[in-house]
Amino acid sequence: MNYDHITNVLPYTEPFLFVDELTEVTENGVVGTYTFLEDSYFYKGHFKDVPVTPGVILTECCAQIGVVCLGIYLLQNETNLPPRGMQRGMQIGMSSTQMEFLLPVKPNEKVTVTSKKIYFRFNKLKCSVKMHNTEGKLVCTGEISGMFKTSAHA
């Protein structure tokens, strides 16, 4: 299934967009992928001669796929706002995160993020997220919460 109606309204662009594809989206969760390309800006200094994806970037990838994409899907269904209106009138803020990092992610590595909704109420979404590498090994896991604000008149 094609989920361009979600990815097209993400409020991010290169070099800070960490969503390549969504493979599953339901009211209870999201599955998506991203490949960390070797020419990404953050590899130049993290770490010298042995590049590893910073944990904050892994967290951001999990947040974009697991919370923001799911939040857009839930808000589109709840408010019936057209995608373009959502893009102009949507504000997003991360409200909390708790992550555990288990394996490094190296340049050119593709990851899959799986998110499960814990709750969505009063425009606050809390999700359990997991990131796996192409070998199916768990890279990181945790919980991320975000707040969404929409305005139909923006």
Side-chain angles (χ1 to χ4, degrees), residues 73-85:
Y73 174 80
L74 294 171
L75 287 169
Q76 283 179 344
N77 287 345
E78 185 177 277
T79 62
N80 293 318
L81 285 174
R84 191 152 197 67

Side-chain angles (χ1 to χ4, degrees), residues 77-96:
N77 287 345
E78 185 177 277
T79 62
N80 293 318
L81 285 174
R84 191 152 197 67
M86 284 205 59
Q87 184 178 32
R88 288 189 313 234
M90 183 172 51
Q91 298 174 351
I92 302 167
M94 185 184 295
S95 57
S96 69

Side-chain angles (χ1 to χ4, degrees), residues 3 57 101 112 133:
Y3 296 106
I57 300 295
F101 303 98
T112 300
N133 61 22

